[in-house]
Amino acid sequence: MFDELTGNSRVKAVLKRMLVADRLPGAMLFTGEEGIGKKLFALEIARALNCRTPRDHEACGVCSSCVRIRKLNYPTRDDADEWTQIIWTDHPDVGLVVAPKRVLRVEQMRQIEKEANFRPFEGKARVFLIDEADKLNDASANALLKVLEEPPRTSYLILITARPAMLLPTILSRCQMIRFSPLAPAEIESHLVKNDIDKKTARVRARAAGGSMGRALSGDLVTFTSQRKAMLKVLNALVLSNDRAQLLRSAEQLNEAQYKDEFEERLDVLETLIRDAWMLSLGVDTSRIVNEDLSAELKEIAQQINPGSAGDWILQIEDLREQLIVNVNKKVTTDSLFLVMAGDVAAGKRPKIR
Ligand SMILES: [Zn+2]
């Protein structure tokens, strides 16, 4: 059944090997950009573990267990209390928690601890997904650590995040990390066509989706396109014009109230642009970059970019994310991020923001 999931063949191979050897870790961390199928893969693992008629250690996809693990019963109202509880599938052994109001709560982790200690009600394994694991705060992370320390053999925890750098080292060290890659535009395109989207639209969406199937499917490309335009301006100012005034304007815009909820998304977008330019500068083919539709602009940047700096910028963005956990002043930190990055270009040095 893994073949029905799009992309990430390396991840499929790794998970398959673990299933075959009966060595699936009790705690795993699925990392990689939003919308590339981490949750679907986690559900597929839950199905493989509970399938009644597995085929070569994979889920059959048609038995009653497989069918009931297909979908999560999300609450229908945004303000429902159920968001703070485990959200179950139609199978009594498989559920997930999400971060209500952007924080994963202690009570949710205690519920998981309690449920993880039960033996499976019906299937062979209990599987709990912790979505947006980067939204754990100190208290809920500590509550989760208790379960991670010795998960019962029949229970599996799968943490999911696009921002692993935000997790405490104590959590990271107890989970087996599985890294997902952004999807290639061609992989997204063929999936869209399979889902009855006409070829031309599929092509445009796949190329503008920045490697994210979720984005290509949701069709909310307007927001993404404007985010990407803004972040491309930042990269241009850094690499081509070294325009500090533009950088400060961009930093300011990033902190404007209307974009408050987009702050992290915008950083993500900036990161994919830097990665693409970096890869192009190393001679990688344009078909392998995420923002393939911007390859002309990115090639220009790639000619001027110093590969060492690109790596450092990504580390600096990760640093900034870590600082955001402790609620630093975003405005000050973003200013300093962009200026340090700019200083890096001018002096060819490797400064750190602290
Ligand atoms: Zn099955």
Side-chain angles (χ1 to χ4, degrees):
M1 283 302 283
F2 276 139
D3 16 314
E4 288 191 7
L5 298 171
T6 304
N8 278 290
S9 45
R10 195 189 48 81
V11 170
K12 283 177 195 168
V14 169
L15 293 173
K16 173 83 185 237
R17 269 205 303 280
M18 290 172 170
L19 283 167
V20 171
D22 193 17
R23 295 229 160 155
L24 200 69
M28 286 183 280
L29 175 65
F30 285 8
T31 69
E33 266 198 82
E34 304 288 356
I36 55 177
K38 301 186 291 298
K39 217 181 297 164
L40 289 176
F41 271 74
L43 285 175
E44 194 57 34
I45 291 285
R47 294 165 93 196
L49 290 168
N50 284 302
C51 179
R52 295 176 177 197
T53 50
R55 294 174 193 163
D56 188 20
H57 299 272
E58 291 188 26
C60 73
V62 289
C63 73
S64 77
S65 285
C66 284
V67 169
R68 282 178 297 143
I69 299 174
R70 185 159 290 152
K71 113 178 183 301
L72 288 150
N73 294 307
Y74 287 108
T76 43
R77 288 191 357 253
D78 276 358
D79 57 347
D81 283 344
E82 290 96 312
W83 287 105
T84 64
Q85 319 273 322
I86 293 178
I87 296 162
W88 296 94
T89 58
D90 286 335
H91 191 290
D93 292 314
V94 182
L96 138 147
V97 288
V98 295
K101 305 214 173 92
R102 299 173 66 78
V103 179
L104 282 164
R105 302 185 188 177
V106 178
E107 309 91 82
Q108 291 175 296
M109 298 307 123
R110 293 209 178 119
Q111 277 180 52
I112 288 189
E113 186 190 8
K114 185 173 138 224
E115 294 287 345
N117 276 313
F118 290 130
R119 294 193 49 80
F121 284 130
E122 186 195 308
K124 295 174 215 128
R126 308 208 90 197
V127 183
F128 301 97
L129 279 51
I130 300 174
D131 201 9
E132 306 175 89
D134 48 286
K135 303 286 189 300
L136 287 160
N137 60 18
D138 281 358
S140 52
N142 280 323
L144 175 62
L145 273 179
K146 280 213 209 149
V147 204
L148 291 178
E149 267 157 20
E150 33 186 327
R153 261 191 58 81
T154 49
S155 289
Y156 296 84
L157 297 180
I158 304 180
L159 282 65
I160 297 172
T161 180
R163 306 177 179 104
M166 306 272 286
L167 269 71
L168 291 174
T170 43
I171 299 270
L172 289 172
S173 68
R174 282 172 177 77
C175 297
Q176 168 93 43
M177 198 191 293
I178 309 274
R179 283 173 217 270
F180 287 71
S181 330
L183 302 173
E187 290 171 330
I188 297 181
E189 187 180 331
S190 73
H191 181 88
L192 294 181
V193 171
K194 261 192 247 159
N195 282 276
D196 296 331
I197 292 176
D198 71 85
K199 243 186 144 3
K200 189 165 166 252
T201 314
R203 198 180 158 78
V204 174
R205 280 201 192 178
R207 266 149 193 77
S212 161
M213 182 73 78
R215 216 177 270 140
L217 282 172
S218 76
D220 182 19
L221 291 176
V222 179
T223 311
F224 174 67
T225 309
S226 80
Q227 288 176 344
R228 209 170 52 156
K229 205 168 152 197
M231 291 301 106
L232 189 63
K233 237 186 217 172
V234 171
L235 195 53
N236 261 319
L238 274 170
V239 179
L240 300 179
S241 56
N242 196 18
D243 181 348
R244 286 170 191 242
Q246 173 61 48
L247 284 174
L248 288 175
R249 270 200 305 280
S250 297
E252 198 157 306
Q253 197 194 30
L254 204 56
N255 286 288
E256 275 167 20
Q258 65 183 116
Y259 300 128
K260 208 176 102 225
D261 294 335
E262 292 181 24
F263 189 87
E264 287 170 67
E265 283 172 26
R266 285 178 177 243
L267 285 183
D268 291 343
V269 171
L270 180 60
E271 241 187 278
T272 66
L273 290 171
I274 295 174
R275 272 216 179 89
D276 279 353
W278 185 9
M279 284 174 75
L280 289 174
S281 77
L282 299 171
V284 165
D285 190 77
T286 46
S287 66
R288 292 191 43 213
I289 64 170
V290 168
N291 300 284
E292 197 189 345
D293 56 326
L294 295 182
S295 58
E297 289 91 330
L298 287 168
K299 267 187 184 158
E300 219 175 293
I301 292 169
Q303 285 179 354
Q304 304 293 327
I305 209 169
N306 162 358
S309 312
D312 278 346
W313 292 346
I314 289 173
L315 288 178
Q316 281 156 4
I317 294 175
E318 295 293 327
D319 269 3
L320 172 69
R321 289 221 181 89
E322 265 174 63
Q323 295 176 40
L324 292 177
I325 307 178
V326 287
N327 259 333
V328 290
N329 181 326
K330 273 191 197 157
K331 172 81 177 76
V332 173
T333 344
T334 322
D335 283 356
S336 95
L337 171 72
F338 286 175
L339 291 178
V340 168
M341 285 165 100
D344 199 11
V345 177
K349 281 191 312 230
R350 301 177 149 228
K352 271 237 154 219
I353 328 170
R354 278 291 173 225

